[in-house]
Amino acid sequence: MDVFGAIADPIRRELLLRLADGPARVVDLAAEHAVSRPAISKHLRVLSEAGLVRGTDEGRERRYALDPAPLAEVRELLGALTARRAPVSAANLDALGTEVRRAARDRRRGTSASGTTANAKEQSA
């Protein structure tokens, strides 16, 4: 199973979010969800096959921990998708607002962008 298929299920995403807080036993993970313990084990097996979690045996119990390394593929895709359209920063919006106000003020005063008035242009012509 690839990473994208593994994170497609909402329960598996919830498990990953929980494991981001630290390792947990299967029984604890099952107690946090409205599905059976065997169902949680199946979800953990899918996540394990995708390399997103690793299980370790501690006595009779198995603990699972998040392994975020395979998420690099997801980060790369999201980065490529968001890089295609650069967001407009607040500073750019502020600068645009300033230019719009300046242009409106200049229009009201009859001043061109070079600072000369329309009447002065007509008189020099």
Side-chain angles (χ1 to χ4, degrees):
M1 163 95 35
D2 73 337
V3 174
F4 295 97
I7 64 174
D9 185 274
I11 291 177
R12 290 194 288 265
R13 289 192 304 268
E14 289 177 19
L15 289 170
L16 290 172
L17 287 169
R18 168 55 182 84
L19 292 173
D21 293 334
R25 300 177 308 162
V26 176
V27 67
D28 296 330
L29 294 170
E32 297 170 5
H33 293 85
V35 296
S36 67
R37 185 174 170 186
I40 293 295
S41 292
K42 287 180 183 179
H43 284 297
L44 289 168
R45 185 173 57 245
V46 169
L47 293 170
S48 182
E49 289 171 2
L52 291 166
V53 299
R54 61 184 180 287
T56 55
D57 293 327
E58 293 182 11
R60 294 181 12 201
E61 296 183 334
R62 189 153 180 86
R63 292 181 80 79
Y64 283 87
L66 177 67
D67 184 358
L71 292 173
E73 184 179 359
V74 176
R75 274 191 299 277
E76 288 173 16
L77 174 64
L78 293 175
L81 292 173
T82 56
R84 293 180 187 268
R85 187 170 188 213
V88 178
S89 69
N92 287 343
L93 288 175
D94 289 344
L96 177 61
T98 300
E99 289 302 317
V100 167
R101 286 189 298 279
R102 183 177 296 142
R105 182 193 66 215
D106 290 349
R107 241 184 262 120
R108 282 192 305 272
R109 290 182 181 172
T111 307
S112 70
S114 63
T116 59
T117 63
N119 290 339
K121 285 183 181 178
E122 289 174 5
Q123 290 174 359
S124 65

